[in-house]
Every structure is written in structure tokens, then in C-alpha cells.
Amino acid sequence: MKAAGGNKTSIDRLVPDHIRNFTPYIPSKPDDVLMKMSGCSRLFRLNNNENPLGPPAAARRVIESYPTGRLSIYPSGDAYHLRARLSVLFGLHPDQFLVGNGANEVISFVIKAFCQEGDNIITGDKTFAVYEWVAMFSGFTAKLVPLKEFAFDDEGMLAEIDGRTKVLFLCNPNNPTGSYWSEQKLRRFLDRVAGRQIVVVDEAYCEFVDKGDFPDGMRLIAEYPNLVVFRTFSKMYGLAGLRIGYLAGALEVVDVIRRTCVVYSVNALAQEAALAALEDPDHVPATRELIGREKTRLCRALDGLGLPHVAGEGNFVMVRLPINDALAYRKMMTHGIMVRCMAGFRFPNWVRISISLPEVMERCVDTLAAVVAGDSATG
Amino acid sequence: MSTLANRPLLLQVPVAQPFIRLASLFVGEGCERLGLDETAAEKMALAAEEIVAYLVRAIPPGSEVAIRSLPGSYYVQTSFSFPLAETDLRALNMTATVNLEEEDGLEQMELLIASRMADRFLIARKVDGSSELTLIKEFSYPQLADAVVADLPATSPAGCTIREPDSGQIRWFLRLVNHCYPPSLYPKDFLYPGKVVDMAAAGDIRLLLAVGPAGEIGGGIAWRWDGQKMVEQFGPYCFSPHAPAEMASQLMDGCIQAIARSPALVLINRMPTPAMPAGYLEALGSLSSLEPGGSTSRLTALFRELHEDMGAVSWAHPELADFLAAEYRRLSLPREIRLLTADGEATSPSSVLSAEIDRRLGRVTLRPIWPGIDIRENLHNHLNLFRREGLKAIHFAIDLGISWQVACTPELHRLGFRAQLLLPHAGSGDLLLFELLPEPL
């Protein structure tokens, strides 16, 4: 009889250190389970920056009328039609786009394409975590530069570049602080990098920004061949459940990234819904109007509660609490309001609230007020 | 130590008389190569010899034992994995005595010797029915001399920055902690600066210090992993009465930011200092602790979760249902309480308890290692021993994520223990600490 410990030992020896030391991300449980656990009868998710208006009407029609007979057929392996449409929209060649199963997948494509053992990436310390995670579980170092007044620190990032730096990740506007680099600042940064590294600008929330100095990364690709731009259909276009995002860059850069790209990873319905979403002229203005109005109301309410907040660009606001964020989360969950704890973003005692419909936001503010009033003395 | 020396050493041998000596040599030589001194390595070799000799008698012929020695930053551990689910391990209890007149006296003597050779031991039952016994032996370190008094910063250093210390700063920081704080507010390891330096070098403990422009240490904070999901925090320590309030907040922020994207679900501080800033942690409950003058005081444990709590299952005996429901409600922790009583299932004859003693605080914490029908007698024996040794704070921890452990509850109540402190995510599930209440006069 073989000792069980022998098997365990064998598996242990197969696991690289960077995988052994990595934490698997635990996503939230489904709504029905969360409601049962928290004892609430309704759940309003204000934790993932989803669009409360859902997908554009044109995309809804595609989804609702999708013929089930086509489900047995593989999708276009490289999102042929969607890339063609994007090329027209942004004035680039179709081969300058790569479509992925959500923008998270294209992060992996880029890191795999350019990094090898001993290399590093650079990003902010308080930003979207996936750049850091993908680098770490792929065995590369993620150099984290502290934000400066809630914004990416250009000088700090430049100072961290060394001979093994391959990719710099900028989230513009930044999740969760909503800060952004102007076109002038981004250009200055790209000039200083001078093509020596790949610069990724993640524009997941760019459609929410209505500022004249906000850069359009797509337009800069022609001037900066080392620039790679990420976009997603999960936020403004309300297709988070279908998982579809893309990257764009210079032909020669995308040609390299394509070698690490898993074809057929984007399902057919997502491709068609995304294509339709781009054709809806009313969706973006309607969403911006709702987000702008409700964000202003939320900030006014937070001022009234005396809660410091950071409300930059994007469909979210970050709030500083007098109690710990995980406690606020649990207490708000008992009232059916789900916000995002910010300790995981390295902002202890902050929560991030996604902007939603007026009645949901009112309920959120009432709940937050009650939780803070009841527990500000705790601890 | 070289990278090569930091790798685990492995041996798999048949459980048979001719291989006892080989197992002993392997463990002894291996532990010495992994950093134990000669005397400690010899003790581990003797322990290995006794364990394999025990297995030769206890498990079916033809079985194998896998022996794995692994270096830690301040210890070496050796694990024995063998295909045996049910056995009599009672000699591993610290109260065990052996009567060689009895039929199984010799077998129990082997385990008794093995357990006394190590500093700590663990026993795990695997889902496939096999078992793993792990012995841990620590390196020896000199204790911080009582006479050593650190110079306190004359005033609170202005313009402190929060930074990770080097080994010299760690040693100086520990002197300051020992000088400024009572033993109930820092862990026993802080008495051994060399050990803490080794732990910090390996990442087993992390520290952040508030350091002034001239290098003066204004304060600090430390934390270490305990299991897969919990980080235990110590401090924040601020050495000047004039320390700015933001120093403690900066230390707390630094600690939380450092573990924010780690596997930790929870940060627990069982020894919070008066410098703990408000709003960071939540109060859990309190346990008794011995003060330097001999009096006892209550230490309140604090915690915070590091991520959204996604809910969990807690096993519980019906006698605990009301307590747990009230605690979970108070803490707004989403938990499904599953009540469990004994249903006549087969149980080992002998239970095993581990005991972690901190004599500075007059405290012992018992944990169930192996279930057994003799749990009442075993607990009783342990209590008698601790009373004889003058330990005043007697605690018992059960892991609510491990169903068999909750079966101890009625016996604990009968002996005068009461559930006092719930530590979320501190074990496989939540950890519940019982405290032995003082006997009525």
C-alpha cells in the first residue's frame, strides 16, 4: 500500500513557487446564496461598476432574438466582424485589434507575449488588481508605484523602470479613484518611455469621461507604436455577463500579442451583441446623464453625512468611512446593499459604490447613514 | 543556508524492523543539515526511531511510511505519513504516563518518547483515511536579558516614515517593546530577538517601524500568518507618550495594505495596545490574562476582515446554538449554523489534546487533535496538571469548520468551560475559544 503522503509530496514538487504562493481570487457567491446568508430579501449590487441601464437597446434585440440553433456552431475564432467594425470606428486596421473573453483575458495576452523569467511589469499600488495578479501567477515581478494624491505617479513609474521592465500598466481613468492623466501628461510619459517598453493604457471606463483633455488612446497608437489600449464592453455597454473586451495597438505589436491569444474564447452571442452595442447612438449619452446626475446627488448626500469621498471619472465613488470597510459591507448586506470593500485595493476603511438608479442610490445612502451612525464608535 | 539545503528531504520506506535505523539516520542527519544543532537533531532522530518502531507494531505489514523533513525559518519539521486512520495515540498527550505492565505499554512508550523529543506536534487525518504525524523542533535562541534597557526616544520623532526594518532595527524595536509594554501586550517570541530576525528574513513575520529622520524608532507594528486565512497582528506600539495620533494610523494602514492582496481573509489582534486607533478593528470578546503583579485582567480581541465575507458553514453542538447565533448576529457575520450531535458513530478509544503554554501570562490553550471516547477523563487530567502548575487562564479552542471537534462541547460545559471568544476564519472555519471559569469559593 502506498503512503498517502507520498502522493501529496509528488504534487507539491510539481508546483512552482509563484503558484504555491499565489492566492486564488474568490468571486462573490450568486445572489440567492448571498441573500440567504445575509438575511435580505432583495440584493442591489453596487460592487462591480455595472451599468444600471443594462445593454443598449440594439444589443438587447440581438440577444433576445438570437437563434438557438446557432448555439451548436463555433463562433468566429477571432471576432472577424467585430474587429472589422472597430477598425472603421477607430480608423485602424482590423488586425490592430484582438478581442478577448473580457479585458482580463487580454491582460494575460500582453504579459505572456512580452515577459520571460526575470522580467517585471510596473503599475500603481492602488488600482485594478488584475495586472499585478497576472504578472505574479505567471512568475514575473509586479513593481507597484504608490499613487500620488489618488492618481498614477508618472515620475515614480519612470523611476522604477529597469533593464527587465517590459510592460507599464496605466488605468485611465483609474479604478477605483477615478483620477486620469490628461493627453498632455500621457504624451509626455510616452515620450519619456521612448518606445523602450510596452505601455498599456486600460480605458475600461473611458466612455464615462466627458472631459476635453481626456486622451483618446486609439488616436495615439499611430504616433506611439509601443502603446496598447484596452477597452471593454462590460462597463458602459452593459455586457459584463457575456465577457467581451479587446485591445488595440500597432500592427507589429498586436502581431506579437496574437501569438499568445486563445482563439475561440469569445462566444458568438457576445460578439454579435457587442457589434450591435456600438451602433446604438442613444445609450452612451443616456448612461452619462444618469451617472452624472446620480453621482452628484450621492456626493451631496455624502457631504451631508460628513463622509470624505473621492469622485473622479467613471461610474463609481470611493467613500472614506469611520468604521472598517468589511464591517460596513456586512451590515449593508443585511439591508440588501452590496458595495465593494477597498482594503483589497489597499484603501482600508474605504468602500467603492457603483452608481445606479435613483431609488437604489437613495436606499444605499439611507443604509450607509444608518450603518455609520450605528457603528462609528465600534472598535 | 543554500537553496539546496532549503528543499524538503524525502524518504519512503517499508514499515518494517530493518528500516527503523535507516529512518532514524535519515531524520537525524537531515535535520542537522537543515539547521538544527547536533543535540536537537539527535532528539529528532530518536523520535523518528520511536515512531517507526511504533508503526511496525501498529500497522499492517507491507505498508510504507513517507518521511519528509522541511526547514523553516526558526525550526525544522519532520512529517510521517502512513496508512492508518484509527489508532491509539494517547501517549501524545502531555499528561500521558505509561504502564509497561499493560499490553500496549511499550507502544505507548514509543510515542511518549517521540512527543517529548519535539517542541510541538500536529496530527492530521486525511480524507483517504491515512494519517500524518508532524514533529517540530525549533532552533535555540538566547532570551533578551532582563537587564537590558533601551533608550527611549526623548521626544516623539517628528516626520517619521513607515518602513520595513533591517535586523538591527528589529532587535532594537523588540527591546523598546519589552521595556515599554507589559508581557500581555506582546507575544512570547518577542523575548527572542534572534528568532524574530530569522522569522522576518524568511517572511514568517513582518514588521513596519515608524522611523524618525535621525533613525530613532518611534513605534512599530508586527504581524504573522497563522494558517491559511488568518493574520495575527501585534501592536501598534508607540514608544513616546507624545507620539502623534497619526503614527498608529500609518502603522495600521501599512499593515493592512501589505496583506490586502494576500490570501488572508482576516486580521486578528488579541493583544491590542492603547495606541490602537479607532475605526480600524472590531471588538470580538475577551479572555483572561495574568498581569505581572499576579492579578488577572481581560484582554479584548479585535479583528477586521480583509475582503467581503462570502459566508461560511459553522458546525455546532446544540448547546452552543444560542451563543453562536447571538455572536454572528452581533458581528453581522453570514454563517449557516449546522447543529450536530453524536449519532453513535465509532470513535477512537483515546483522544489527543495539544497544549500551548505561555507561562508569562499564566495561560494555556488546549486544542483537540484527535477525537476519542475518553475526552472527559483526558480533559480532567489536563486540568489537574495545569492547576498544579499554577496556570490560571485555561482556554480550549475548537474549530467550527471541523465537525468532529464540536462534540467536545458538552464535556467542556460540564467541566466549567464557557464559550467566550469567536475568532472568524481563524481555523478551517471560525475558531471558538472556551474559558475555564474560576471555581466558586
Side-chain angles (χ1 to χ4, degrees):
Chain A
M1 187 174 174
K2 189 88 173 166
N7 292 333
K8 178 178 178 294
T9 301
S10 303
I11 292 165
D12 270 356
R13 295 177 69 186
L14 295 176
V15 183
D17 286 345
H18 62 270
I19 297 295
R20 188 178 297 115
N21 299 330
F22 189 75
T23 328
Y25 176 74
I26 301 169
S28 67
K29 291 191 165 73
D31 287 12
D32 58 331
V33 178
L34 288 173
M35 286 193 287
K36 186 181 171 203
M37 287 276 189
S38 301
C40 58
S41 55
R42 291 188 69 187
L43 185 64
F44 299 98
R45 281 183 175 264
L46 304 179
N47 64 323
N48 279 337
N49 302 340
E50 292 143 349
N51 188 333
L53 297 179
R60 281 176 202 268
R61 283 193 292 277
V62 165
I63 294 164
E64 282 160 11
S65 63
Y66 194 79
T68 53
R70 285 173 55 193
L71 294 174
S72 59
I73 309 296
Y74 279 102
S76 164
D78 59 358
Y80 182 90
H81 290 302
L82 180 58
R83 287 190 301 112
R85 182 69 190 111
L86 291 169
S87 79
V88 173
L89 204 60
F90 296 112
L92 300 169
H93 190 279
D95 287 347
Q96 289 187 262
F97 294 92
L98 278 177
V99 182
N101 189 258
N104 284 355
E105 193 179 45
V106 301
I107 296 172
S108 283
F109 293 166
V110 173
I111 290 179
K112 278 186 214 158
F114 292 104
C115 294
Q116 58 186 325
E117 191 176 349
D119 287 344
N120 65 70
I121 65 130
I122 296 175
T123 188
D125 65 337
K126 295 168 181 172
T127 186
F128 189 49
V130 179
Y131 322 126
E132 179 183 339
W133 287 343
V134 174
M136 287 174 64
F137 69 59
S138 303
F140 311 124
T141 302
K143 296 168 93 172
L144 306 177
V145 177
L147 297 192
K148 212 168 175 180
E149 294 176 357
F150 296 104
F152 271 72
D153 175 12
D154 51 348
E155 291 298 332
M157 291 176 76
L158 290 165
E160 282 295 327
I161 293 174
D162 61 27
R164 301 307 302 267
T165 301
K166 292 293 182 67
V167 190
L168 297 112
F169 284 93
L170 164 70
C171 189
N172 207 41
N174 186 34
N175 168 22
T177 60
S179 61
Y180 71 92
W181 283 2
S182 66
E183 180 165 341
Q184 188 189 23
K185 186 167 183 174
L186 178 58
R187 279 179 177 279
R188 201 168 54 225
F189 184 78
L190 288 164
D191 289 339
R192 299 269 299 276
V193 173
R196 287 188 289 267
Q197 284 80 29
I198 296 293
V199 175
V200 170
V201 179
D202 185 345
E203 298 184 340
Y205 295 93
C206 69
E207 296 91 349
F208 294 94
V209 186
D210 190 14
K211 293 279 171 65
D213 63 345
F214 184 78
D216 177 357
M218 294 293 185
R219 227 165 24 82
L220 297 176
I221 288 171
E223 292 176 62
Y224 297 98
N226 62 325
L227 172 64
V228 174
V229 176
F230 289 174
R231 298 247 175 129
T232 182
F233 287 94
S234 299
K235 303 303 177 186
M236 173 58 82
Y237 292 106
L239 293 174
L242 293 182
R243 309 305 301 126
I244 180 163
Y246 59 99
L247 64 77
L251 270 176
E252 57 271 34
V253 169
V254 175
D255 180 53
V256 172
I257 300 171
R258 186 176 292 111
R259 298 168 201 195
T260 69
C261 168
V262 182
V263 292
Y264 294 104
S265 71
V266 184
N267 69 73
L269 181 58
Q271 293 184 34
E272 294 203 19
L275 198 54
L278 294 170
E279 306 306 327
D280 193 316
D282 302 325
H283 181 74
V284 172
T287 302
R288 279 187 181 176
E289 198 275 324
L290 169 76
I291 300 300
R293 188 181 63 230
E294 290 309 313
K295 200 196 281 191
T296 304
R297 285 183 62 210
L298 174 62
C299 291
R300 204 174 297 139
L302 294 171
D303 287 338
L305 293 171
L307 297 176
H309 51 274
V310 173
E313 304 304 315
N315 58 340
F316 47 83
V317 169
M318 230 173 64
V319 187
R320 175 82 157 89
L321 302 177
I323 60 176
N324 88 57
D325 47 317
L327 172 63
Y329 166 86
R330 298 199 308 273
K331 290 197 175 284
M332 293 181 79
M333 279 295 286
T334 64
H335 298 273
I337 299 289
M338 187 174 188
V339 296
R340 174 56 63 91
C341 293
M342 285 286 98
F345 278 77
R346 304 193 174 97
F347 279 113
N349 291 10
W350 292 74
V351 291
R352 190 191 64 196
I353 300 174
S354 304
I355 305 298
S356 186
L357 301 170
E359 59 273 21
V360 179
M361 297 312 293
E362 278 169 29
R363 186 171 174 147
C364 171
V365 168
D366 292 346
T367 304
L368 186 60
V371 165
V372 170
D375 288 289
S376 57
T378 305
Chain B
M1 204 178 289
S2 73
T3 308
L4 194 63
N6 281 320
R7 292 191 177 173
L9 306 176
L10 306 165
L11 176 71
Q12 190 154 333
V13 289
V15 178
Q17 190 72 30
F19 294 97
I20 295 175
R21 181 74 185 138
L22 174 61
S24 174
L25 279 171
F26 167 77
V27 170
E29 290 286 321
C31 286
E32 201 168 343
R33 299 295 172 275
L34 294 176
L36 285 185
D37 61 36
E38 192 181 343
T39 309
E42 279 173 3
K43 286 184 176 180
M44 289 293 270
L46 179 55
E49 186 175 326
E50 298 296 342
I51 286 169
V52 179
Y54 167 80
L55 292 176
V56 167
R57 297 167 198 273
I59 66 177
S63 302
E64 290 185 333
V65 57
I67 305 173
R68 185 170 187 256
S69 290
L70 186 71
S73 60
Y74 61 96
Y75 63 90
V76 174
Q77 71 174 46
T78 299
S79 302
F80 302 81
S81 299
F82 45 90
L84 179 65
E86 297 300 327
T87 188
D88 189 348
L89 298 169
R90 68 179 188 273
L92 295 175
N93 287 294
M94 72 182 302
T95 52
T97 53
V98 169
N99 182 354
L100 291 175
E101 301 293 315
E102 288 177 3
E103 195 178 333
D104 65 349
L106 187 56
E107 287 177 18
Q108 293 300 314
M109 177 61 89
E110 287 156 350
L111 288 180
L112 183 73
I113 292 169
S115 69
R116 300 308 185 267
M117 293 298 105
D119 294 326
R120 283 178 286 145
F121 66 88
L122 309 163
I123 307 169
R125 292 201 293 186
K126 304 296 174 64
V127 285
D128 64 0
S130 67
S131 302
E132 185 174 79
L133 171 62
T134 301
L135 303 180
I136 298 164
K137 192 81 185 164
E138 296 191 1
F139 304 149
S140 56
Y141 295 93
Q143 186 173 341
L144 196 65
D146 287 341
V148 175
V149 177
D151 289 332
L152 289 174
T155 58
S156 177
C160 275
T161 54
I162 306 299
R163 64 173 75 158
E164 290 199 42
D166 60 28
S167 66
Q169 287 172 318
I170 291 173
R171 290 196 291 257
W172 198 255
F173 166 71
L174 295 180
R175 288 181 183 193
L176 287 165
V177 171
N178 278 269
H179 183 68
C180 298
Y181 286 90
S184 56
L185 297 186
Y186 59 86
K188 192 165 58 175
D189 288 341
F190 278 20
L191 292 171
Y192 302 92
K195 180 177 180 180
V196 176
V197 166
D198 282 352
M199 291 170 75
D204 288 338
I205 192 168
R206 287 193 62 191
L207 300 98
L208 283 175
L209 303 188
V211 181
E216 64 273 44
I217 296 172
I221 197 163
W223 64 94
R224 71 179 169 205
W225 288 85
D226 187 346
Q228 292 291 310
K229 296 183 288 189
M230 173 188 157
V231 170
E232 183 159 29
Q233 184 191 61
F234 308 102
Y237 304 101
C238 294
F239 303 125
S240 164
H242 310 297
E246 61 264 32
M247 180 191 287
S249 296
Q250 287 170 345
L251 290 166
M252 285 296 291
D253 283 340
C255 168
I256 293 169
Q257 286 170 9
I259 56 176
R261 289 185 181 167
S262 73
L265 294 178
V266 69
L267 176 68
I268 290 179
N269 190 326
R270 295 171 64 181
M271 302 174 160
T273 65
M276 175 66 72
Y280 278 87
L281 305 182
E282 305 163 48
L284 283 168
S286 65
L287 290 173
S288 58
S289 176
L290 195 66
E291 292 299 314
S295 61
T296 55
S297 65
R298 307 290 297 177
L299 271 183
T300 298
L302 306 176
F303 93 115
R304 69 164 288 141
E305 289 185 300
L306 295 158
H307 305 285
E308 293 89 346
D309 193 305
M310 294 302 165
V313 166
S314 285
W315 297 100
H317 189 276
E319 289 181 17
L320 279 177
D322 289 345
F323 173 84
L324 288 178
E327 281 298 277
Y328 287 139
R329 199 164 43 245
R330 178 177 72 83
L331 297 165
S332 300
L333 279 169
R335 294 289 184 274
E336 182 186 331
I337 300 174
R338 290 190 186 160
L339 298 180
L340 207 61
T341 51
D343 291 318
E345 66 272 24
T347 309
S348 312
S350 307
S351 58
V352 179
L353 303 174
S354 76
E356 182 186 346
I357 296 174
D358 188 339
R359 292 192 189 280
R360 299 172 314 145
L361 309 179
R363 186 177 72 195
V364 57
T365 304
L366 286 163
R367 288 182 174 79
I369 299 291
W370 197 271
I373 53 178
D374 70 339
I375 184 69
R376 182 187 303 186
E377 184 190 348
N378 196 7
L379 271 167
H380 191 74
N381 291 341
H382 277 83
L383 294 188
N384 284 341
L385 174 68
F386 299 147
R387 286 182 179 125
R388 282 199 303 274
E389 298 202 5
L391 296 166
K392 289 189 176 174
I394 302 175
H395 305 147
F396 193 98
I398 62 173
D399 189 331
L400 302 183
I402 301 175
S403 60
W404 67 261
Q405 293 200 6
V406 305
C408 304
T409 305
E411 297 306 334
L412 291 169
H413 283 163
R414 214 159 286 148
L415 285 165
F417 282 91
R418 290 293 174 267
Q420 292 287 345
L421 178 60
L422 185 72
L423 300 176
H425 300 299
S428 296
D430 300 336
L431 201 71
L432 181 62
L433 278 153
F434 291 76
E435 183 169 43
L436 185 64
L437 298 182
E439 286 177 26
L441 296 173

